[in-house]
Amino acid sequence: RNGRLVVKGLRSSRVTTHRGCRVTTNELYSNLSRRSYIQPVRKEARHVLYNWGPGREGALGHGDLLNRYIPTEVLMDPDVNQITNITSAWNKTLITATSRIDPDDIKVYGWGVSQDCFLLNTDPETILLTPYEISNLGSLKIDKVEAGRAHFLVLSKNKNIFTWGDNELGALGAGSETISAPEPMRLLYFDRLNSTPIHISAGPDHNAVVTSDGKVYTWGFGPDGQLGHGYTAERITAPSEDIKARVKKFEAPVPKQVASLSSRRIILARCGADSTFFVDDEGQLFSCGLNQAGTLGIGSRENAFIPEHVVFEGRGKNKVVDVSAGGAHAMARLDDGSLWSWGWGKEGRLGHGDREDCLRPKEIEFFSDKKVKSMSCGGAQSVVATEDDRVWLRR
């Protein structure tokens, strides 16, 4: 207003700029009005990263708090060569990338609100406005990383599981006595198994790990059945319990096998906001969790506390090869390249040309003559990449 950028909704906290300087949000208001957040000069990088959407709390990493309405390049460290992992949740992003100097050196960068996830040893409300190298994560040799509401989950190249961040709702899998972990801690639970972790997924406050023998383990906050351990509706709505007692009762503070899937060989698990999806080696899909909008694709709006089978009508022999779960909708890709969606249809996020909810998977006709390569569901949007290297966004 009148040449000044008015920033609302920020508490008094500290912000890190691309030069590594930390300033208070009060200083930020003044600096932003002088346009001191101008991007550094672009240097060549082999992989280019783009993002868009709300820029509050530094979520986009562009050096300011402005929204971006079209894909905008994120200026990275010139040493970045190949980006190997991207995980983004709520108001922060973490990426891993190889180094130009040493291709075997895996670097880790983060931006957004720290919440004890960026290992800065500062106020948890510290904001990183641009990509910041988190040098003490490089030793983990990250193979895959997932972000939750206030925690990170890592699968290392030597198949160890690490978590850190907030543990108020049991998301770290380290037991109920641990309040938070400011540094990565290894989950020793998986050491005693006769198998190794091969796949991970994180929701806001729950997680899933698939092991090499086809078993799947979940932990964290599961009031709506998203852990798949069979909690009952009566247990959730017990009126005699206060809120804190109920929260504790819904936690699985350490990993626990999803027993109802023990007879199947699970190869993939995906955590949504309040749901979890599982794919077995026969290409069958199962889901559990919150289902008020039909998110689970099981033909009803009833929550599922153990995984239930998701049916793709008319595609009996086709197999599910990938699934993505968002805030209240989901998509699946079949082995014939077709794309299906279901759940909450508000604002057209399902891609069917209307705003109706779908209680069972429905093929997205727009992609019927295209081969879908990958897809992702966000809180209220859907993104799809096809084999002609085109990216489609529906929001």
Side-chain angles (χ1 to χ4, degrees), residues 252-359:
V254 295
K256 180 179 179 181
Q257 184 181 349
V258 182
S260 65
L261 295 176
S262 59
S263 62
R264 297 183 176 273
R265 188 176 186 87
I266 302 301
I267 60 173
L268 180 67
R270 301 283 193 207
C271 296
D274 303 289
S275 60
T276 310
F277 291 81
F278 311 90
V279 180
D280 69 8
D281 61 348
E282 297 179 354
Q284 301 295 305
L285 180 65
F286 302 85
S287 63
C288 59
L290 184 66
N291 197 36
Q292 291 178 348
T295 311
L296 302 185
I298 56 177
S300 73
R301 297 182 186 269
E302 296 293 324
N303 293 358
F305 295 91
I306 59 173
E308 296 192 18
H309 188 216
V310 181
V311 177
F312 292 78
E313 296 179 356
R315 296 295 176 100
K317 294 184 178 181
N318 289 114
K319 299 179 179 180
V320 174
V321 296
D322 197 8
V323 62
S324 179
H329 73 295
M331 291 192 294
R333 178 167 59 95
L334 304 190
D335 58 359
D336 63 354
S338 62
L339 185 67
W340 301 62
S341 67
W342 61 92
W344 198 18
K346 185 178 180 181
E347 298 171 324
R349 68 196 70 187
L350 299 183
H352 299 309
D354 56 32
R355 302 175 183 177
E356 300 298 319
D357 296 350
C358 284
L359 303 185

Side-chain angles (χ1 to χ4, degrees), residues 10 20 22 38 57-58 72 75 97 104 117 136 146 156 161 175 182 188 222 238 247 274 294 326-327 346 357 363:
L10 281 178
R22 295 190 180 94
I38 296 300
E57 297 181 313
T72 305
L75 297 186
D104 294 326
C117 291
N136 47 351
E146 291 270 309
S156 70
I161 300 292
L188 301 178
V247 165
D274 303 289
K346 185 178 180 181
D357 296 350
E363 185 176 2

Side-chain angles (χ1 to χ4, degrees), residues 109-380:
Y109 298 85
W111 62 88
V113 178
S114 173
Q115 291 180 303
D116 288 329
C117 291
F118 292 144
L119 314 184
L120 299 176
N121 296 318
T122 62
D123 187 325
E125 296 302 318
T126 294
I127 295 173
L128 304 181
L129 288 180
T130 57
Y132 178 93
E133 183 179 359
I134 308 172
S135 57
N136 47 351
L137 284 183
S139 61
L140 294 186
K141 302 298 182 184
I142 294 175
D143 182 38
K144 183 176 175 59
V145 60
E146 291 270 309
R149 176 184 58 84
H151 78 285
F152 282 116
L153 175 68
V154 160
L155 174 65
S156 70
K157 290 187 180 297
N158 57 4
K159 305 307 178 186
N160 290 320
I161 300 292
F162 294 87
T163 60
W164 69 95
D166 181 73
N167 195 47
E168 182 179 3
L169 297 176
L172 300 188
S176 57
E177 300 303 316
T178 301
I179 299 175
S180 66
E183 296 183 355
M185 60 180 182
R186 182 179 167 191
L187 287 189
L188 301 178
Y189 175 90
F190 295 96
D191 289 357
R192 68 172 187 247
L193 303 179
N194 295 321
S195 57
T196 57
I198 60 172
H199 175 79
I200 62 174
S201 183
D205 295 292
H206 74 292
N207 308 277
V209 168
V210 178
T211 53
S212 56
D213 60 355
K215 308 304 181 185
V216 60
Y217 301 80
T218 61
W219 70 91
F221 189 50
D224 299 301
Q226 55 262 54
L227 301 182
H229 297 158
Y231 298 152
T232 66
E234 289 75 20
R235 181 179 185 179
I236 287 179
T237 58
S240 61
E241 298 173 318
D242 62 33
I243 295 299
K244 288 187 177 180
R246 290 172 63 190
V247 165
K248 287 296 180 183
K249 185 168 285 190
F250 305 145
E251 289 179 15
V254 295
K256 180 179 179 181
Q257 184 181 349
V258 182
S260 65
L261 295 176
S262 59
S263 62
R264 297 183 176 273
R265 188 176 186 87
I266 302 301
I267 60 173
L268 180 67
R270 301 283 193 207
C271 296
D274 303 289
S275 60
T276 310
F277 291 81
F278 311 90
V279 180
D280 69 8
D281 61 348
E282 297 179 354
Q284 301 295 305
L285 180 65
F286 302 85
S287 63
C288 59
L290 184 66
N291 197 36
Q292 291 178 348
T295 311
L296 302 185
I298 56 177
S300 73
R301 297 182 186 269
E302 296 293 324
N303 293 358
F305 295 91
I306 59 173
E308 296 192 18
H309 188 216
V310 181
V311 177
F312 292 78
E313 296 179 356
R315 296 295 176 100
K317 294 184 178 181
N318 289 114
K319 299 179 179 180
V320 174
V321 296
D322 197 8
V323 62
S324 179
H329 73 295
M331 291 192 294
R333 178 167 59 95
L334 304 190
D335 58 359
D336 63 354
S338 62
L339 185 67
W340 301 62
S341 67
W342 61 92
W344 198 18
K346 185 178 180 181
E347 298 171 324
R349 68 196 70 187
L350 299 183
H352 299 309
D354 56 32
R355 302 175 183 177
E356 300 298 319
D357 296 350
C358 284
L359 303 185
R360 289 194 181 277
K362 179 179 179 181
E363 185 176 2
I364 304 176
E365 296 181 2
F366 179 87
F367 294 102
S368 61
D369 60 345
K370 302 172 178 63
K371 290 289 186 180
V372 173
K373 183 166 58 174
S374 61
M375 78 287 176
S376 180
C377 293

Side-chain angles (χ1 to χ4, degrees), residues 4-5 24-36:
R4 294 179 61 87
L5 176 64
T24 65
T25 50
N26 290 334
E27 294 168 332
L28 175 65
Y29 299 144
S30 175
N31 289 340
L32 287 176
S33 69
R34 295 195 300 269
R35 302 284 179 170
S36 65

Side-chain angles (χ1 to χ4, degrees), residues 81 97-107 138 141 157:
N81 187 26
T98 59
S99 166
R100 282 182 177 275
I101 300 173
D102 181 5
D104 294 326
D105 181 20
I106 302 296
K107 293 180 173 292
K141 302 298 182 184
K157 290 187 180 297

